[in-house]
Amino acid sequence: AQDFGDAMAELAATSWVHAVAWSPRGETLAYAAHDASVHFARVDSGEAVVTAAVRLDGLPLTTLLFVSEKALAGAGHDFVPLLFAPADGNPAGASWALADARDKKPEKKAAAAETHLGGAAAARAMWQTKAKTGQSESTKADDEWKKHQSPVTFMQPLAGDGETWTHFTTSGLDGRLATWKVDDKFLK
């Protein structure tokens, strides 16, 4: 038996670790690193073994939450909560993958309306934008569709039975609080 404070394992990370989360049964440990990677380690045998690492295309995560034994939610500097799941459906398996993004970018409808401007109206719109921003195209933030407008710093389970969470909340540096529903496929 180990005493309180004794190290159970030392796991590799190639940069600072921002967040750590245990699965509901305590068999999987996930940690997010500053290099935009999420690592999964199995600890059900008493020894911690890193089984998978997922490298993100975007910015690093700052908070993690297991919503079930088979799904991990994470969010951070990209403002959008992501869901990770075992690629083969088995949390003891060797591969986890990015499975879903909770905040989806809507189809562009406003852009279509702007393209219908003809002649003088289109030229006027272009010159107004150039005068305001120094660019010929609109510089509206590409992130306006996101519920959070700055990094997400905290996740909290909202509804569920303690082992599976059907809903969770996020809060960010923008002062916003958002509620998210987890699809059933991640809960079973």
Side-chain angles (χ1 to χ4, degrees):
Q2 293 183 333
D3 292 329
F4 179 77
D6 287 348
M8 292 176 58
E10 290 185 32
L11 303 171
T14 57
S15 60
W16 301 316
V17 173
H18 288 291
V20 176
W22 285 97
S23 66
R25 293 188 196 133
E27 296 173 354
T28 304
L29 173 71
Y31 56 100
H34 190 71
D35 65 351
S37 64
V38 180
H39 302 262
F40 296 87
R42 292 294 293 179
V43 292
D44 53 356
S45 64
E47 289 285 320
V49 178
V50 177
T51 59
V54 178
R55 181 73 93 179
L56 301 174
D57 289 334
L59 297 172
L61 303 180
T62 57
T63 183
L64 298 172
L65 171 72
F66 271 95
V67 294
S68 72
E69 199 64 35
K70 293 184 176 185
L72 173 78
H77 292 283
D78 275 341
F79 317 158
V80 176
L82 306 173
L83 285 174
F84 301 87
D88 59 359
N90 178 7
S95 63
W96 282 70
L98 177 61
D100 194 22
R102 292 288 73 200
D103 214 358
K104 306 274 198 254
K105 188 171 187 174
E107 296 294 322
K108 288 188 177 183
K109 294 178 184 174
E114 288 178 16
T115 59
H116 292 304
L117 295 177
R124 180 174 181 229
M126 182 194 72
W127 285 108
Q128 282 179 334
T129 301
K130 228 176 211 190
K132 287 181 185 174
T133 65
Q135 298 178 5
S136 60
E137 293 184 16
S138 175
T139 58
K140 282 190 174 181
D142 194 36
D143 295 344
E144 287 182 356
W145 56 272
K146 296 178 181 177
K147 288 184 182 179
H148 285 289
Q149 297 300 308
S150 65
V152 175
T153 57
F154 189 70
M155 297 177 108
Q156 181 75 30
L158 179 64
D161 63 10
E163 260 195 50
T164 57
W165 299 103
T166 58
H167 293 78
F168 64 93
T169 62
T170 56
S171 61
L173 295 176
D174 55 8
R176 294 180 180 183
L177 176 70
T179 302
W180 308 92
K181 182 179 182 337
V182 179
D183 294 339
D184 288 342
K185 65 182 177 183
F186 297 110
L187 302 177
K188 297 176 182 170

